[in-house]
Structure formats: C-alpha cells, structure tokens
Amino acid sequence: MAAQEKTTGPTMIVCSCESTMPIDTPAITRGCGSTPKSAEALCRRQLDLFRSVLAAGGPVTVGCTQEQPLFEETAAELGRGDGLAFVNLRETGGWSDQAPGAGPKMAALLAAAAVEMPETRLVSMSSQGVTLIYGRDQVAIDAGRRLGERLDITVLLTRPGDVTPPRRTEFPVLRGTIRGAKGHLGAFELSIDDFTQPSPSSRARLEFGAGRDGAVSRCDVVVDLSGGAPLFPAGDLRAGYLRADPGDRAAVERILAEAASLVGEFDKPRYVDFDAGLCAHSRSRIVGCRRCLDVCPTGAITPAGNHVAIDPHVCAGCGACAAVCPTGAASYALPDAAALLRRVRAMLGAYRDAGGAAPVLLIHDGEHGEEMIEALARFGDGLPAHVLPLRVNEITQVGPETIAAAFAWGAAGTMFLARAKPRHDQQGLERVVAMCDRVLAALGYGAGAVATISADDPDALGAALRLAGTGRASPSPSGFLPMGDRRGLLALAFGELQRVAPTPVERVPLPQGAPFGTAIVDAAGCTLCHACVAACPTSALSDNPDKPQLGFTESLCVQCGLCKATCPEKVIQLVPQIDFAARRSVRRVVKE
C-alpha cells in the first residue's frame, strides 16, 4: 500500500507505564506522521506534561485508558471539554511477549483513535412506573409489597395454587395467563386469557371466579416471576422486561432493584437507520428478501407491506440486520459503515507505514472482548504484535464490506472474537464469514483468512491466536477512500478486493442466500411482459421506454427472488455468484 496522505493530526502522548512496556517512538512517528510525547508516569509525577499539551490547544490522543477519569478531570479544570481521545496501548500491545515488535501496532491504534466518530442519535422512552408483576404464587405478591412504595403495582397470577389472601388490599391481585406480549419500556401491551378478579370473601386461600379470554393490559414495566418461558424472544434484551426464576432469591433481588429504578425518561442509542425505499422485502404480496427478519433476535423487525419496519425501541443493537441487508436499506449507525471503514483504513495504513507486516484484525465487542484481551495481557502472553484489536459495539454488526475493505487495504486475516456460548443466535455473522471466506479463497487470500474465535477463557483466546493461520496479504494494497452509502461501499470494497488480489479471478460461485448473483432469463420463453421489471426493487431488471426490451444490471441484483416469483412464464433462474467483470459493466440486454 502506498503511504497514506498525512494531515495535521492530534498531539499524541504515550506512556511506558512506569517502564513496564517499550515504546518504539520511531515506528509510531513513521506510522502517524508526527512524533509522540513520551512519558513514564504521565498520571503521577508527569501530569504537568499533560497539562502543557492541553494548554497548547488542538486535539490530543492519550495512550492510556486506565487513568482516563483523572485526565478528563484535569482537562475540565483547564476548560477543555472536547478534543480528547484515549486508546489502550498497554493491554493491547505493550503488555505482551511480543512487545518489542509492537511499535507498528501502537501506531495503528493511535491513528485509529484519532479518526472522529459521528455522534450517537438517541431514542427516548418514558415510564410512569405502572408495573405488572407476573407470577404464580406468594413470591409475586411479596415482590409487589417490596415495590409498592415506588411503583404502581398490579400482580397477575397464572394458574395459582394455594395463595393466602392479603389482610389488606394494597394493590390488585388478579388471575390470568399472558397469551401474547408486545411493546417495550413505557409501552407494553399484554393479551391475557382466563382473566378474573379474586373473591373479596376469600378465606384460607384466594378464590377466583370464571375467567374470560382476550383481556388487554397496558403497563410500563413487566416483572416476570412466573418461571415459564420468556414472554419475548431474547427477553433479556427487551427494555422494561425483567425476568427471574422465582426460586432464585438473588436473581429476584436483582430485578426488583432494577424495576424500582425504572421511573422517568430514558434514552437508548438508535442503532439502525432504515430506508424503506431500498427494502426488497416484497412486491404485490409476494415475499422476496427476508434476511433481516430471519436473523433479528429480538423481534424488532416485522413485515410492513412492501418493506419491513424496525422498532428502534425494541432493537437491541446486534446489527445483524444491517450486516445481511443486501440493498443497504438497513444500515448500522453506531457508527455507520463509512465511519467504521475510515477507522479500519487509518489503522491498517499506519501499521504498514510504521513497518508492520501481515496484520490481522481482531474484531471484538466491549463487554466480552475487552475483558478477554485485558486478562490475556495481565495473566498470559498478551496479543501477538501483528494482531490489531478493533472494538465495535457488536461483532454481529460487521458486514461483508468491512471484511472486503480490510483485505483490500492489506490485511492478512480478520478474526471475530465471540463467546464460546453465545447469548444469542449468530447465524447472520456466520453467513457473512462463510461467504467472504469463499470469495477470499478464490482470489488467493487463503482459505480461513476470515474466521470466528469462540472463547470465554483468555488462555483459550491466546491458544487460538497462536494456532490461527493468516492468509496472504495483497501484494499491492489499495488506498481507496470509503465514501458513499453502504451499498456503494459494498460494491467499491469488493471491486478493490478483486483488483489487488494475489490471484484475481473474474467469477466466484456463492452459496444460496448470498446477496450477489445473476438472473438468467430464457429469452425464448420471455414475452417481454415486464412483470419482473415492476417487481424488481433495485432496478436490476429494467425496460427501455423507446423499444420492447429487457435489460439486466448485475451489480444491482440482490438475489431477492421477486423476479422469479413474479414471472408468469417461469423463465427466470437465479444464480448466486460474484462476477466481477459483469459488475463492472453497464446494463446488458437480455431480450428485445
């Protein structure tokens, strides 16, 4: 890769943390284009160095996250509330058996941290504390008493046994079984069967009369102590829905404490942007693409006519929908694809400029991944010098455009750090990895160059990284700039991936379900009725207003299948593939 353009960047401060790790200043200077300020005890006796850099003005990147609160407090005292970035150089590079060779990695991490990320947009939810406790016995009633002073409580008992009537009615205790549930914090709606009130003359046990089906209850918070199946898919990710085994006293205590705090206004990130005009879900009541529906773990995505709808209040941010969306209708916003790619480009470019070779991206989340990496650094061998950690919100948010771009920019491998026992389905990520691995192998980057490491133990992570083979990096990496929307980025990244490939080929067959491919039309049977044109959501199939003609543009086809399903003559077949030559060409005439 040619050296990337250097612009005036932030002032960098790197600290050896009391000389527990080496700092390769020349490598960092080569990679980042400027010489960092060096320290041994920046957070203690050299804090004045930090103050002097702040006083000079301009953005500042500090190679330490452990003492970030101290540095932020110091900056606030000097009236500096912005322009600060922090990056963990110690656990990700300096505390490692390969630390002497980690200079290019530190340059890469500093360069990536300097890339500005867009602000996160928020979704608001409001709760008045109206709470339904769903249980089966005295545990639910006791929970109601515990929360009664803070929340507006109703207890609903499903198929209750012997329950002692309360001496005084402090809150309603009803019988019923929840048949269906939807909503989120501040806006739950529950459908209840066998709904009835207890008799006020209940003596030794609560007695209930005949129930009725189809009752509807609305509330802000649901506390589920029924011991049954969750009311929602991936219920632990549903804001305002708290569930615990009634026999687990510690778990019950935890959710009661959380429920007591759910009164007021709450914000959560808007994880996904959605453009209904790009959605290829259906046309004329014929279902085409349903990739996002198949991978959403929370049920936040539902059909809505010709497109789908994504409820931002229910969305938990896994990003699987954006990763598998072939049209770019769903795009991840934390950050968006272009911003993430700018960070990847800066990281890989600085690494190579600093003298590094055969870099491998280790894509991880904050909750699980950072803990694993830090534990490996403190108690194990640390990350290898060529492994560049890239933190994202969720590893399932990463789409094929990021993987393709990374290899086009010179990566020799991309690894996803996942849990050994995933909390939720990762089939979307598995599809992306499988498709990209097939394309990379065909282009000479090597089979297995993109893979998933599933580990819940840092020693297992270390062993997997030692055993993981790397692919073959491009002999002349691209330097393209990530610009445009996600669909454009996808086309650009794959085009550059093939252009700089070790052994480029023009066509790669892909598995069923892949978002690339061609539509083969039997011209002899085609009557030019153009039903396929009307159904095609991306204009891959098109007519000609001046003459009877059917055309096809392969770069626009997302293999949704609507053309095949709509064709009255049944003369269209879909072939999943990536044909680089066809994707570079303009519209071809299928029949005229």
Side-chain angles (χ1 to χ4, degrees), residues 81-93:
D82 55 8
L84 285 177
F86 299 88
V87 57
N88 182 357
L89 298 181
R90 189 178 67 183
E91 280 84 355
T92 58

Side-chain angles (χ1 to χ4, degrees), residues 68-441:
Q68 181 174 339
L70 170 64
F71 295 132
E72 289 177 333
E73 180 181 348
T74 303
E77 292 172 356
L78 298 176
R80 287 288 305 271
D82 55 8
L84 285 177
F86 299 88
V87 57
N88 182 357
L89 298 181
R90 189 178 67 183
E91 280 84 355
T92 58
W95 283 359
S96 167
D97 287 359
Q98 298 183 16
K105 175 197 281 192
M106 292 187 181
L109 296 174
L110 287 164
V115 176
E116 186 176 355
M117 292 286 105
E119 291 187 3
T120 301
R121 294 182 298 126
L122 301 176
V123 175
S124 296
M125 294 178 286
S126 177
S127 169
Q128 303 300 317
V130 178
T131 301
L132 180 78
I133 299 177
Y134 186 48
R136 62 190 184 192
D137 51 26
Q138 192 66 37
V139 174
I141 296 176
D142 292 342
R145 294 195 180 103
R146 294 276 303 279
L147 296 175
E149 294 183 2
R150 298 289 303 275
L151 305 173
D152 182 354
I153 298 296
T154 297
V155 172
L156 181 68
L157 300 177
T158 176
R159 295 181 290 275
D162 291 340
V163 177
T164 303
R167 289 181 296 172
R168 183 173 57 194
T169 303
E170 302 173 89
F171 45 78
V173 177
L174 310 170
R175 187 186 72 188
T177 298
I178 297 177
R179 173 172 49 83
K182 60 182 180 180
H184 51 81
L185 176 64
F188 285 106
E189 182 175 307
L190 311 172
S191 300
I192 303 171
D193 286 345
D194 192 30
F195 180 76
T196 185
Q197 299 183 37
S199 170
S201 61
S202 298
R203 185 174 181 181
R205 53 174 286 176
L206 280 178
E207 301 287 351
F208 295 89
R212 64 182 179 89
D213 293 342
V216 175
S217 175
R218 294 177 176 84
C219 58
D220 298 321
V221 179
V222 177
V223 176
D224 187 351
L225 299 174
S226 67
L231 299 179
F232 301 96
D236 56 323
L237 299 179
R238 181 78 55 139
Y241 175 64
L242 309 175
R243 177 174 174 265
D245 181 344
D248 186 339
R249 296 181 61 183
V252 172
E253 289 296 323
R254 283 195 299 270
I255 69 167
L256 294 186
E258 184 176 352
S261 67
L262 294 181
V263 179
E265 299 292 327
F266 300 87
D267 291 328
K268 62 175 289 187
R270 181 181 288 272
Y271 295 105
V272 176
D273 290 329
F274 183 71
D275 184 344
L278 298 177
C279 183
H281 172 58
S282 71
R283 293 294 184 274
S284 302
R285 299 184 180 179
I286 298 176
V287 175
C289 178
R290 51 172 296 116
R291 293 177 175 92
C292 61
L293 290 164
D294 291 339
V295 300
C296 179
T298 63
I301 307 178
T302 54
N306 284 347
H307 53 83
V308 300
I310 302 179
D311 188 338
H313 300 89
V314 176
C315 172
C318 73
C321 59
V324 301
C325 179
T327 66
S331 58
Y332 207 69
L334 196 66
D336 59 59
L340 180 61
L341 287 182
R342 288 194 294 271
R343 178 160 282 183
V344 174
R345 181 179 185 269
M347 178 180 285
L348 292 171
Y351 180 81
R352 290 186 63 85
D353 290 346
V360 173
L361 283 185
L362 180 63
I363 299 175
H364 65 90
D365 63 14
E367 181 181 354
H368 172 66
E370 283 198 347
E371 290 180 357
M372 293 280 289
I373 291 170
E374 292 186 7
L376 182 62
R378 291 177 178 273
F379 308 109
D381 296 337
L383 290 181
H386 70 290
V387 174
L388 310 183
L390 176 67
R391 174 178 172 172
V392 294
N393 188 55
E394 295 283 353
I395 61 172
T396 44
Q397 80 184 68
V398 177
E401 72 283 348
T402 301
I403 298 172
F407 281 90
W409 285 324
T414 299
M415 303 291 167
F416 292 86
L417 175 52
R419 298 174 187 268
K421 297 180 179 179
R423 292 180 299 178
H424 307 293
D425 196 347
Q426 295 184 169
Q427 61 170 313
L429 176 63
E430 293 167 0
R431 290 180 188 175
V432 170
V433 168
M435 183 191 72
C436 290
D437 185 56
R438 180 175 295 199
V439 174
L440 290 166

